[in-house]
Coordinates of all heavy atoms in Angstrom, one line a residue:
M1 N 18.4 -7.0 6.6 CA 17.5 -6.9 5.6 C 16.3 -7.8 5.8 O 16.5 -9.0 6.1 CB 18.1 -7.2 4.2 CG 17.2 -7.2 3.1 SD 17.9 -7.4 1.4 CE 19.1 -8.6 1.6
K2 N 15.1 -7.3 5.7 CA 13.9 -8.1 5.9 C 13.6 -8.9 4.6 O 13.9 -8.5 3.5 CB 12.7 -7.2 6.2 CG 12.6 -6.7 7.6 CD 11.3 -6.1 7.9 CE 11.2 -5.8 9.4 NZ 9.8 -5.4 9.7
E3 N 13.0 -10.1 4.8 CA 12.6 -10.9 3.7 C 11.1 -11.1 3.8 O 10.5 -11.1 4.9 CB 13.3 -12.2 3.8 CG 14.8 -12.1 3.6 CD 15.4 -13.5 3.5 OE1 14.7 -14.5 3.3 OE2 16.7 -13.6 3.5
Y4 N 10.5 -11.1 2.6 CA 9.0 -11.2 2.5 C 8.7 -12.3 1.5 O 9.4 -12.6 0.6 CB 8.4 -9.9 2.0 CG 8.6 -8.7 3.0 CD1 9.6 -7.9 2.9 CD2 7.7 -8.6 4.1 CE1 9.8 -6.8 3.8 CE2 7.9 -7.5 5.0 CZ 8.9 -6.6 4.9 OH 9.1 -5.6 5.7
N5 N 7.5 -12.9 1.8 CA 7.0 -13.9 0.8 C 6.4 -13.1 -0.4 O 6.4 -13.6 -1.5 CB 5.9 -14.7 1.4 CG 6.4 -15.6 2.6 OD1 6.3 -15.1 3.7 ND2 7.1 -16.7 2.3
L6 N 5.8 -11.9 -0.1 CA 5.1 -11.1 -1.1 C 5.4 -9.6 -0.9 O 5.3 -9.2 0.3 CB 3.7 -11.3 -1.1 CG 2.8 -10.5 -2.1 CD1 3.1 -10.9 -3.6 CD2 1.3 -10.7 -1.8
I7 N 5.8 -8.9 -1.9 CA 5.9 -7.5 -1.9 C 5.0 -6.9 -2.9 O 5.1 -7.2 -4.1 CB 7.4 -7.0 -2.1 CG1 8.3 -7.6 -1.1 CG2 7.5 -5.5 -2.2 CD1 9.8 -7.3 -1.3
V8 N 4.1 -6.1 -2.5 CA 3.2 -5.4 -3.4 C 3.7 -4.0 -3.6 O 3.9 -3.3 -2.6 CB 1.7 -5.4 -2.8 CG1 0.8 -4.6 -3.7 CG2 1.2 -6.8 -2.5
I9 N 3.9 -3.6 -4.9 CA 4.4 -2.3 -5.2 C 3.3 -1.4 -5.7 O 2.7 -1.7 -6.7 CB 5.5 -2.3 -6.2 CG1 6.7 -3.2 -5.7 CG2 6.0 -1.0 -6.6 CD1 7.8 -3.5 -6.7
G10 N 3.0 -0.4 -4.9 CA 1.8 0.5 -5.3 C 0.7 0.4 -4.2 O 0.3 -0.6 -3.8
G11 N 0.4 1.6 -3.7 CA -0.5 1.7 -2.5 C -1.9 2.2 -2.9 O -2.5 2.7 -2.0
G12 N -2.2 2.1 -4.1 CA -3.6 2.5 -4.5 C -4.6 1.4 -4.1 O -4.2 0.4 -3.4
P13 N -5.8 1.6 -4.5 CA -6.9 0.6 -4.1 C -6.5 -0.8 -4.5 O -6.7 -1.8 -3.8 CB -8.1 1.1 -4.9 CG -7.9 2.5 -5.1 CD -6.4 2.7 -5.2
G14 N -5.9 -1.0 -5.7 CA -5.6 -2.3 -6.1 C -4.4 -2.9 -5.3 O -4.5 -4.1 -5.0
G15 N -3.5 -2.1 -5.0 CA -2.3 -2.6 -4.2 C -2.7 -3.0 -2.8 O -2.3 -4.0 -2.3
I16 N -3.5 -2.1 -2.2 CA -4.1 -2.4 -0.8 C -4.9 -3.7 -0.8 O -4.7 -4.5 0.0 CB -4.8 -1.2 -0.3 CG1 -3.8 0.0 -0.1 CG2 -5.5 -1.6 1.0 CD1 -4.5 1.3 0.3
T17 N -5.8 -3.8 -1.8 CA -6.6 -5.0 -1.9 C -5.7 -6.3 -2.1 O -6.0 -7.3 -1.5 CB -7.6 -4.9 -3.1 OG1 -8.4 -3.7 -2.8 CG2 -8.5 -6.1 -3.2
A18 N -4.8 -6.2 -3.0 CA -3.9 -7.4 -3.2 C -3.2 -7.7 -1.9 O -3.1 -8.9 -1.7 CB -2.9 -7.0 -4.3
A19 N -2.6 -6.8 -1.3 CA -1.9 -7.1 0.0 C -2.8 -7.7 1.1 O -2.5 -8.8 1.7 CB -1.2 -5.9 0.5
R20 N -4.0 -7.1 1.2 CA -4.9 -7.6 2.2 C -5.5 -9.0 1.9 O -5.6 -9.9 2.7 CB -6.1 -6.6 2.4 CG -5.7 -5.3 3.0 CD -6.8 -4.4 3.2 NE -7.8 -4.9 4.1 CZ -9.1 -4.6 4.1 NH1 -9.5 -3.7 3.3 NH2 -9.8 -5.1 5.1
F21 N -5.8 -9.2 0.6 CA -6.3 -10.5 0.2 C -5.3 -11.6 0.3 O -5.6 -12.7 0.7 CB -6.8 -10.4 -1.3 CG -7.3 -11.7 -1.8 CD1 -8.7 -12.1 -1.5 CD2 -6.6 -12.5 -2.6 CE1 -9.2 -13.3 -2.0 CE2 -7.2 -13.7 -3.1 CZ -8.4 -14.1 -2.8
S22 N -4.0 -11.3 -0.1 CA -3.0 -12.2 0.0 C -2.7 -12.6 1.5 O -2.5 -13.8 1.8 CB -1.7 -11.7 -0.5 OG -1.9 -11.3 -1.9
K23 N -2.7 -11.7 2.4 CA -2.5 -12.0 3.8 C -3.7 -12.8 4.3 O -3.5 -13.7 5.2 CB -2.3 -10.6 4.6 CG -1.9 -10.8 6.0 CD -0.6 -11.4 6.1 CE -0.1 -11.5 7.5 NZ 1.2 -12.1 7.7
K24 N -4.8 -12.5 3.8 CA -6.0 -13.3 4.3 C -5.9 -14.8 3.8 O -6.3 -15.6 4.6 CB -7.3 -12.6 3.8 CG -8.6 -13.2 4.3 CD -9.8 -12.4 3.8 CE -11.1 -12.9 4.5 NZ -12.2 -12.1 4.0
R25 N -5.5 -14.9 2.6 CA -5.4 -16.3 2.1 C -4.2 -17.1 2.6 O -4.2 -18.3 2.7 CB -5.3 -16.2 0.5 CG -6.5 -15.6 -0.1 CD -7.7 -16.5 -0.3 NE -7.4 -17.6 -1.2 CZ -8.0 -18.7 -1.2 NH1 -9.0 -18.9 -0.5 NH2 -7.6 -19.6 -2.1
K26 N -3.1 -16.3 2.9 CA -1.9 -16.9 3.4 C -1.4 -16.2 4.7 O -0.5 -15.4 4.7 CB -0.8 -16.8 2.4 CG -1.1 -17.5 1.0 CD -0.8 -19.0 1.2 CE -0.9 -19.7 -0.1 NZ -0.7 -21.1 -0.1
P27 N -2.1 -16.4 5.8 CA -1.8 -15.7 7.0 C -0.4 -15.8 7.5 O 0.1 -15.0 8.3 CB -2.8 -16.3 8.1 CG -3.7 -17.2 7.4 CD -3.2 -17.4 6.0
D28 N 0.3 -16.9 7.2 CA 1.7 -17.1 7.7 C 2.7 -16.4 6.8 O 3.9 -16.3 7.1 CB 2.0 -18.6 7.7 CG 1.8 -19.3 6.4 OD1 0.7 -19.0 5.6 OD2 2.6 -20.1 5.9
W29 N 2.3 -15.8 5.7 CA 3.2 -15.1 4.8 C 3.6 -13.8 5.4 O 2.7 -13.1 6.1 CB 2.5 -14.8 3.4 CG 2.6 -16.0 2.5 CD1 2.9 -17.2 2.7 CD2 2.5 -15.8 1.1 NE1 2.9 -17.9 1.6 CE2 2.7 -17.1 0.5 CE3 2.2 -14.8 0.2 CZ2 2.6 -17.4 -0.8 CZ3 2.1 -15.1 -1.2 CH2 2.3 -16.4 -1.6
K30 N 4.8 -13.3 5.1 CA 5.2 -11.9 5.4 C 5.0 -11.1 4.2 O 5.5 -11.4 3.2 CB 6.7 -11.9 5.8 CG 7.0 -12.7 7.1 CD 8.4 -12.6 7.5 CE 8.7 -13.4 8.8 NZ 10.1 -13.4 9.0
V31 N 4.1 -10.1 4.3 CA 3.7 -9.3 3.2 C 4.1 -7.8 3.5 O 3.9 -7.3 4.6 CB 2.1 -9.4 3.0 CG1 1.7 -8.5 1.8 CG2 1.7 -10.8 2.7
A32 N 4.6 -7.2 2.4 CA 4.9 -5.8 2.5 C 4.2 -5.0 1.3 O 4.1 -5.5 0.2 CB 6.5 -5.6 2.4
L33 N 3.8 -3.8 1.7 CA 3.2 -2.9 0.7 C 4.1 -1.7 0.6 O 4.4 -1.1 1.6 CB 1.8 -2.5 1.2 CG 1.1 -1.5 0.3 CD1 0.6 -2.1 -1.0 CD2 -0.1 -0.9 1.0
I34 N 4.6 -1.5 -0.6 CA 5.5 -0.3 -0.9 C 4.7 0.7 -1.6 O 4.2 0.4 -2.7 CB 6.8 -0.8 -1.6 CG1 7.6 -1.8 -0.8 CG2 7.7 0.5 -1.9 CD1 8.8 -2.3 -1.5
R35 N 4.7 1.9 -1.1 CA 4.0 3.0 -1.8 C 4.7 4.3 -1.6 O 5.5 4.5 -0.7 CB 2.6 3.1 -1.3 CG 2.4 3.4 0.1 CD 0.9 3.4 0.5 NE 0.7 3.8 1.8 CZ -0.5 3.9 2.3 NH1 -1.6 3.5 1.6 NH2 -0.8 4.3 3.5
K36 N 4.4 5.3 -2.5 CA 5.1 6.6 -2.4 C 4.3 7.6 -1.5 O 4.9 8.6 -1.0 CB 5.2 7.2 -3.8 CG 6.2 6.4 -4.6 CD 6.3 6.8 -6.1 CE 5.8 8.0 -6.6 NZ 6.1 8.3 -8.0
Q37 N 3.0 7.4 -1.3 CA 2.2 8.3 -0.6 C 1.9 7.8 0.8 O 1.8 6.6 1.0 CB 0.9 8.7 -1.3 CG 0.0 7.5 -1.4 CD 0.3 6.5 -2.6 OE1 1.3 6.5 -3.1 NE2 -0.7 5.6 -2.8
E38 N 1.8 8.7 1.8 CA 1.5 8.3 3.2 C 0.0 8.0 3.3 O -0.4 7.1 4.1 CB 1.8 9.4 4.1 CG 3.4 9.6 4.3 CD 3.7 10.7 5.4 OE1 3.0 10.8 6.4 OE2 4.6 11.5 5.2
K39 N -0.8 8.7 2.5 CA -2.3 8.4 2.7 C -2.8 8.1 1.3 O -2.2 8.4 0.3 CB -3.0 9.7 3.2 CG -2.5 10.1 4.5 CD -3.2 11.3 5.1 CE -2.7 11.7 6.4 NZ -3.4 12.9 7.0
S40 N -4.0 7.4 1.3 CA -4.5 7.0 0.0 C -5.8 7.8 -0.3 O -6.4 8.4 0.6 CB -4.8 5.5 0.0 OG -5.8 5.2 1.0
V41 N -6.2 7.8 -1.5 CA -7.4 8.6 -2.0 C -8.5 7.6 -2.3 O -8.3 6.5 -2.8 CB -7.0 9.4 -3.3 CG1 -8.2 10.0 -3.8 CG2 -5.9 10.4 -3.0
I42 N -9.7 8.0 -1.9 CA -10.9 7.2 -2.2 C -11.4 7.7 -3.5 O -12.2 8.7 -3.6 CB -11.9 7.3 -1.1 CG1 -11.3 6.9 0.3 CG2 -13.1 6.4 -1.4 CD1 -12.1 7.3 1.4
P43 N -11.2 7.0 -4.7 CA -11.5 7.6 -6.0 C -13.0 7.8 -6.2 O -13.4 8.8 -6.8 CB -11.0 6.5 -7.0 CG -10.0 5.7 -6.2 CD -10.4 5.8 -4.8
C44 N -13.8 6.9 -5.7 CA -15.3 7.1 -5.9 C -15.9 8.3 -5.1 O -17.0 8.7 -5.3 CB -16.0 5.8 -5.6 SG -15.8 5.2 -3.9
A45 N -15.1 8.8 -4.2 CA -15.6 10.0 -3.4 C -15.2 11.4 -4.1 O -15.6 12.3 -3.6 CB -15.0 9.9 -2.0
L46 N -14.4 11.2 -5.1 CA -13.9 12.5 -5.8 C -15.1 13.5 -6.1 O -15.0 14.7 -5.8 CB -13.1 12.2 -7.0 CG -12.5 13.4 -7.7 CD1 -11.7 14.3 -6.9 CD2 -11.8 13.0 -9.0
P47 N -16.1 13.0 -6.8 CA -17.2 14.0 -7.1 C -17.8 14.6 -5.9 O -18.2 15.8 -6.0 CB -18.3 13.1 -7.9 CG -17.5 11.9 -8.3 CD -16.4 11.7 -7.3
Y48 N -18.0 13.9 -4.8 CA -18.5 14.5 -3.6 C -17.6 15.5 -3.0 O -18.1 16.5 -2.4 CB -18.9 13.4 -2.6 CG -19.8 12.4 -3.3 CD1 -19.4 11.1 -3.6 CD2 -21.2 12.7 -3.5 CE1 -20.2 10.2 -4.2 CE2 -22.0 11.8 -4.1 CZ -21.5 10.5 -4.5 OH -22.4 9.6 -5.1
A49 N -16.3 15.3 -3.1 CA -15.3 16.3 -2.6 C -15.3 17.5 -3.4 O -15.2 18.6 -2.9 CB -13.9 15.6 -2.5
I50 N -15.5 17.4 -4.7 CA -15.4 18.5 -5.6 C -16.7 19.4 -5.4 O -16.6 20.6 -5.4 CB -15.4 18.1 -7.1 CG1 -14.0 17.5 -7.4 CG2 -15.6 19.2 -8.1 CD1 -13.8 16.8 -8.7
D51 N -17.9 18.7 -5.3 CA -19.1 19.6 -5.1 C -19.4 20.0 -3.7 O -20.3 20.7 -3.4 CB -20.3 18.9 -5.7 CG -20.9 17.7 -4.9 OD1 -20.4 17.5 -3.8 OD2 -21.8 17.1 -5.3
G52 N -18.5 19.6 -2.8 CA -18.6 20.1 -1.4 C -19.5 19.2 -0.5 O -19.7 19.6 0.7
T53 N -20.0 18.1 -1.0 CA -20.8 17.3 -0.2 C -20.0 16.7 1.0 O -20.6 16.5 2.1 CB -21.5 16.1 -1.0 OG1 -22.2 16.7 -2.1 CG2 -22.3 15.2 -0.2
I54 N -18.8 16.3 0.7 CA -17.9 15.9 1.8 C -16.7 16.8 1.8 O -16.3 17.4 0.8 CB -17.5 14.4 1.6 CG1 -16.7 14.2 0.3 CG2 -18.7 13.5 1.7 CD1 -16.0 12.8 0.3
K55 N -16.0 16.8 3.0 CA -14.8 17.6 3.1 C -13.7 16.8 2.4 O -13.6 15.7 2.3 CB -14.4 17.7 4.5 CG -15.3 18.7 5.3 CD -14.9 18.8 6.7 CE -15.5 17.8 7.6 NZ -15.2 17.9 9.0
V56 N -12.7 17.6 1.8 CA -11.6 17.0 1.1 C -10.8 16.1 2.1 O -10.3 15.0 1.6 CB -10.6 18.1 0.5 CG1 -9.4 17.5 0.0 CG2 -11.4 19.0 -0.5
E57 N -10.8 16.4 3.4 CA -10.0 15.6 4.3 C -10.7 14.2 4.4 O -10.0 13.2 4.7 CB -10.1 16.2 5.7 CG -9.3 17.5 5.8 CD -10.2 18.7 5.3 OE1 -11.4 18.7 5.4 OE2 -9.5 19.7 4.8
D58 N -12.0 14.1 4.1 CA -12.7 12.8 4.1 C -12.4 12.0 2.8 O -12.6 10.8 2.8 CB -14.2 12.9 4.3 CG -14.5 13.6 5.7 OD1 -13.7 13.4 6.6 OD2 -15.6 14.2 5.8
Y59 N -11.9 12.7 1.8 CA -11.6 12.0 0.6 C -10.2 11.4 0.6 O -10.0 10.4 -0.1 CB -11.7 13.1 -0.5 CG -11.1 12.8 -1.9 CD1 -11.7 11.8 -2.7 CD2 -10.0 13.4 -2.4 CE1 -11.2 11.5 -4.0 CE2 -9.4 13.1 -3.6 CZ -10.0 12.1 -4.4 OH -9.5 11.8 -5.6
I60 N -9.3 11.9 1.4 CA -8.0 11.4 1.6 C -8.0 10.6 3.0 O -8.3 11.2 4.0 CB -7.0 12.5 1.6 CG1 -7.0 13.3 0.3 CG2 -5.6 12.0 1.9 CD1 -6.3 14.6 0.3
K61 N -7.6 9.3 2.9 CA -7.7 8.5 4.0 C -6.3 8.0 4.5 O -5.5 7.6 3.7 CB -8.6 7.2 3.6 CG -8.8 6.3 4.7 CD -9.8 5.2 4.3 CE -10.1 4.3 5.4 NZ -10.9 3.2 5.0
D62 N -6.2 8.0 5.8 CA -4.9 7.5 6.4 C -5.2 6.0 6.8 O -5.9 5.7 7.8 CB -4.5 8.3 7.7 CG -3.3 7.8 8.3 OD1 -2.6 6.9 7.7 OD2 -2.9 8.4 9.3
D63 N -4.8 5.1 5.9 CA -5.2 3.7 6.1 C -4.0 2.9 6.6 O -4.1 1.7 6.6 CB -5.7 3.2 4.8 CG -4.8 3.4 3.6 OD1 -3.6 3.8 3.8 OD2 -5.2 3.2 2.4
E64 N -2.9 3.5 7.0 CA -1.8 2.7 7.4 C -2.1 1.9 8.6 O -1.6 0.8 8.7 CB -0.6 3.7 7.7 CG 0.7 3.0 8.1 CD 1.9 3.9 8.2 OE1 1.7 5.1 8.0 OE2 2.9 3.4 8.7
K65 N -2.9 2.4 9.5 CA -3.3 1.6 10.7 C -4.1 0.4 10.3 O -3.9 -0.7 10.8 CB -4.2 2.5 11.6 CG -4.5 1.9 12.9 CD -5.2 2.8 13.8 CE -5.6 2.3 15.2 NZ -6.3 3.2 16.0
L66 N -5.0 0.5 9.3 CA -5.7 -0.7 8.9 C -4.8 -1.7 8.2 O -4.9 -2.9 8.5 CB -6.7 -0.2 7.8 CG -7.4 -1.4 7.0 CD1 -8.4 -2.2 7.9 CD2 -8.1 -0.8 5.8
I67 N -3.8 -1.2 7.4 CA -2.9 -2.2 6.8 C -2.0 -2.9 7.8 O -1.9 -4.1 7.8 CB -2.0 -1.4 5.8 CG1 -2.9 -0.8 4.6 CG2 -0.9 -2.2 5.2 CD1 -2.2 0.2 3.8
K68 N -1.4 -2.1 8.8 CA -0.6 -2.7 9.8 C -1.4 -3.6 10.7 O -0.9 -4.6 11.2 CB 0.1 -1.6 10.6 CG 1.2 -0.9 9.8 CD 1.9 0.0 10.6 CE 3.1 0.6 9.8 NZ 4.0 1.5 10.6
S69 N -2.6 -3.4 11.0 CA -3.5 -4.2 11.9 C -3.6 -5.6 11.3 O -4.0 -6.5 12.0 CB -4.8 -3.6 12.2 OG -5.7 -3.6 11.0
Q70 N -3.5 -5.7 10.0 CA -3.6 -7.0 9.3 C -2.3 -7.7 9.2 O -2.2 -8.7 8.5 CB -4.4 -6.9 8.0 CG -5.8 -6.4 8.3 CD -6.6 -6.3 7.0 OE1 -6.1 -6.6 5.9 NE2 -7.8 -5.9 7.2
G71 N -1.2 -7.2 9.8 CA 0.1 -7.9 9.8 C 0.9 -7.6 8.5 O 1.7 -8.3 8.1
I72 N 0.5 -6.5 7.8 CA 1.2 -6.1 6.6 C 2.2 -4.9 6.9 O 1.7 -4.0 7.5 CB 0.2 -5.7 5.5 CG1 -0.7 -6.9 5.2 CG2 0.9 -5.2 4.2 CD1 -1.9 -6.5 4.4
D73 N 3.4 -5.0 6.5 CA 4.4 -3.9 6.7 C 4.1 -2.9 5.5 O 4.0 -3.2 4.4 CB 5.8 -4.4 6.5 CG 6.3 -5.1 7.7 OD1 5.6 -5.1 8.8 OD2 7.3 -5.8 7.7
C74 N 3.9 -1.7 5.9 CA 3.6 -0.6 5.0 C 4.9 0.3 5.0 O 5.2 0.9 5.9 CB 2.4 0.2 5.5 SG 1.9 1.5 4.3
L75 N 5.6 0.2 3.8 CA 6.8 0.9 3.6 C 6.7 2.0 2.6 O 6.1 1.9 1.6 CB 7.9 -0.1 3.1 CG 8.0 -1.4 3.9 CD1 8.9 -2.3 3.1 CD2 8.5 -1.2 5.2
L76 N 7.2 3.2 3.0 CA 7.2 4.3 2.1 C 8.4 4.4 1.2 O 9.5 4.3 1.7 CB 7.0 5.7 2.9 CG 5.7 5.9 3.6 CD1 5.7 7.2 4.4 CD2 4.5 5.9 2.7
Y77 N 8.2 4.6 0.0 CA 9.3 4.7 -1.0 C 9.5 6.2 -1.2 O 8.8 6.9 -1.9 CB 8.9 4.0 -2.3 CG 10.0 4.2 -3.4 CD1 11.2 3.5 -3.3 CD2 9.7 4.9 -4.5 CE1 12.2 3.6 -4.2 CE2 10.7 5.1 -5.5 CZ 11.9 4.4 -5.4 OH 12.8 4.6 -6.3
T78 N 10.5 6.8 -0.5 CA 10.7 8.2 -0.5 C 12.1 8.6 -1.0 O 12.8 9.3 -0.4 CB 10.4 8.8 0.9 OG1 11.4 8.1 1.8 CG2 9.0 8.7 1.4
S79 N 12.5 7.9 -2.0 CA 13.9 8.2 -2.6 C 13.9 9.5 -3.3 O 13.1 9.8 -4.1 CB 14.3 7.1 -3.6 OG 15.5 7.4 -4.2
D80 N 14.9 10.3 -3.0 CA 15.2 11.6 -3.7 C 15.9 11.3 -5.0 O 15.8 12.1 -5.9 CB 16.0 12.5 -2.9 CG 15.3 13.0 -1.6 OD1 14.0 13.1 -1.7 OD2 15.9 13.4 -0.6
A81 N 16.5 10.2 -5.1 CA 17.3 9.9 -6.3 C 16.4 9.4 -7.5 O 16.8 9.6 -8.7 CB 18.3 8.7 -6.0
A82 N 15.3 8.9 -7.2 CA 14.4 8.4 -8.4 C 13.0 8.4 -8.0 O 12.6 8.3 -6.8 CB 14.8 6.9 -8.7
D83 N 12.1 8.7 -9.0 CA 10.7 8.7 -8.7 C 10.0 7.4 -8.9 O 8.9 7.2 -8.4 CB 10.1 9.7 -9.8 CG 10.4 11.2 -9.4 OD1 10.7 11.4 -8.2 OD2 10.3 12.0 -10.3
E84 N 10.7 6.5 -9.5 CA 10.0 5.2 -9.8 C 11.0 4.1 -9.4 O 12.2 4.3 -9.3 CB 9.7 5.0 -11.3 CG 8.7 6.1 -11.8 CD 7.4 6.1 -11.1 OE1 6.9 5.0 -10.7 OE2 6.7 7.1 -10.9
L85 N 10.5 2.9 -9.2 CA 11.3 1.7 -9.0 C 12.2 1.4 -10.2 O 11.7 1.5 -11.3 CB 10.3 0.5 -8.7 CG 10.9 -0.8 -8.5 CD1 11.7 -0.8 -7.2 CD2 9.9 -1.9 -8.5
D86 N 13.4 1.2 -9.9 CA 14.4 1.1 -11.0 C 14.3 -0.3 -11.7 O 14.5 -0.4 -12.8 CB 15.8 1.3 -10.5 CG 16.1 2.7 -10.2 OD1 15.4 3.6 -10.9 OD2 17.0 3.0 -9.4
G87 N 14.0 -1.4 -10.9 CA 14.0 -2.7 -11.5 C 13.8 -3.8 -10.5 O 13.8 -3.6 -9.2
V88 N 13.6 -5.0 -11.0 CA 13.3 -6.1 -10.2 C 14.3 -7.1 -10.7 O 14.4 -7.5 -11.9 CB 11.9 -6.7 -10.3 CG1 11.7 -7.9 -9.5 CG2 10.9 -5.5 -9.9
D89 N 15.1 -7.7 -9.7 CA 16.0 -8.8 -10.0 C 15.3 -10.2 -9.6 O 15.4 -10.5 -8.4 CB 17.3 -8.6 -9.2 CG 18.3 -9.7 -9.4 OD1 18.1 -10.6 -10.3 OD2 19.4 -9.7 -8.8
L90 N 14.7 -10.8 -10.5 CA 13.9 -12.0 -10.2 C 14.8 -13.1 -9.7 O 14.5 -13.9 -8.8 CB 13.0 -12.5 -11.3 CG 11.9 -11.5 -11.7 CD1 11.1 -12.0 -12.9 CD2 10.9 -11.3 -10.6
G91 N 16.0 -13.2 -10.4 CA 16.9 -14.3 -10.0 C 17.5 -14.1 -8.6 O 17.6 -15.0 -7.9
G92 N 17.8 -12.8 -8.4 CA 18.4 -12.5 -7.0 C 17.3 -12.2 -6.0 O 17.6 -12.0 -4.8
R93 N 16.0 -12.2 -6.4 CA 14.9 -12.0 -5.6 C 15.0 -10.7 -4.8 O 14.9 -10.6 -3.6 CB 14.7 -13.1 -4.6 CG 14.4 -14.5 -5.4 CD 14.2 -15.6 -4.5 NE 13.2 -15.4 -3.6 CZ 12.1 -16.1 -3.5 NH1 11.9 -17.1 -4.4 NH2 11.2 -15.9 -2.6
R94 N 15.4 -9.6 -5.5 CA 15.6 -8.3 -4.9 C 14.8 -7.2 -5.8 O 14.7 -7.3 -7.0 CB 17.1 -7.9 -4.9 CG 17.9 -8.8 -3.9 CD 19.3 -8.4 -4.0 NE 20.1 -9.5 -3.4 CZ 20.4 -9.6 -2.1 NH1 20.0 -8.6 -1.3 NH2 21.2 -10.5 -1.7
I95 N 14.4 -6.1 -5.1 CA 13.9 -5.0 -5.8 C 14.8 -3.8 -5.6 O 15.5 -3.7 -4.6 CB 12.4 -4.7 -5.4 CG1 12.3 -4.4 -3.9 CG2 11.5 -5.8 -5.8 CD1 11.0 -3.8 -3.6

């Protein structure tokens, strides 16, 4: 079992920013980002994708390479048993 100093749950813009900022501030930390989707969406590009200014493929970004290049483990949460995280055991330090 891997151990991390920080686990960020959620791979949207906020989660990615939190993981990257934390790794930048604490380069020696082991950081993991857990998310359900393989690719992320660029929210501010949605109107341009809808009106055809940009291709939908440009609206959806494969950012795993960027995340991993900064020393962050990107883990996909693909459980068939549950759609959401069940709980956090702060005392046991487990998710």
Side-chain angles (χ1 to χ4, degrees):
M1 174 172 44
K2 284 192 170 185
E3 293 188 12
Y4 295 96
N5 299 96
L6 175 68
I7 297 174
V8 178
I9 300 171
I16 293 171
T17 301
R20 292 180 66 205
F21 181 78
S22 299
K23 189 66 177 177
K24 187 175 185 177
R25 299 282 292 163
K26 299 283 189 177
D28 56 320
W29 275 19
K30 292 181 182 175
V31 177
L33 175 71
I34 299 177
R35 63 185 186 178
K36 292 178 8 177
Q37 66 280 11
E38 290 185 37
K39 299 180 181 183
S40 64
V41 173
I42 306 168
C44 59
L46 178 60
Y48 304 106
I50 290 172
D51 77 4
T53 302
I54 64 171
K55 292 185 268 183
V56 173
E57 296 82 30
D58 294 337
Y59 168 66
I60 300 170
K61 185 175 182 183
D62 184 0
D63 52 12
E64 186 173 352
K65 187 176 180 180
L66 169 70
I67 294 166
K68 288 185 174 183
S69 73
Q70 296 187 357
I72 300 167
D73 286 348
C74 187
L75 310 172
L76 290 178
Y77 177 70
T78 57
S79 172
D80 291 334
D83 288 335
E84 302 296 328
L85 179 67
D86 287 335
V88 177
D89 177 7
L90 296 177
R93 299 176 61 113
R94 297 178 194 269
I95 59 169

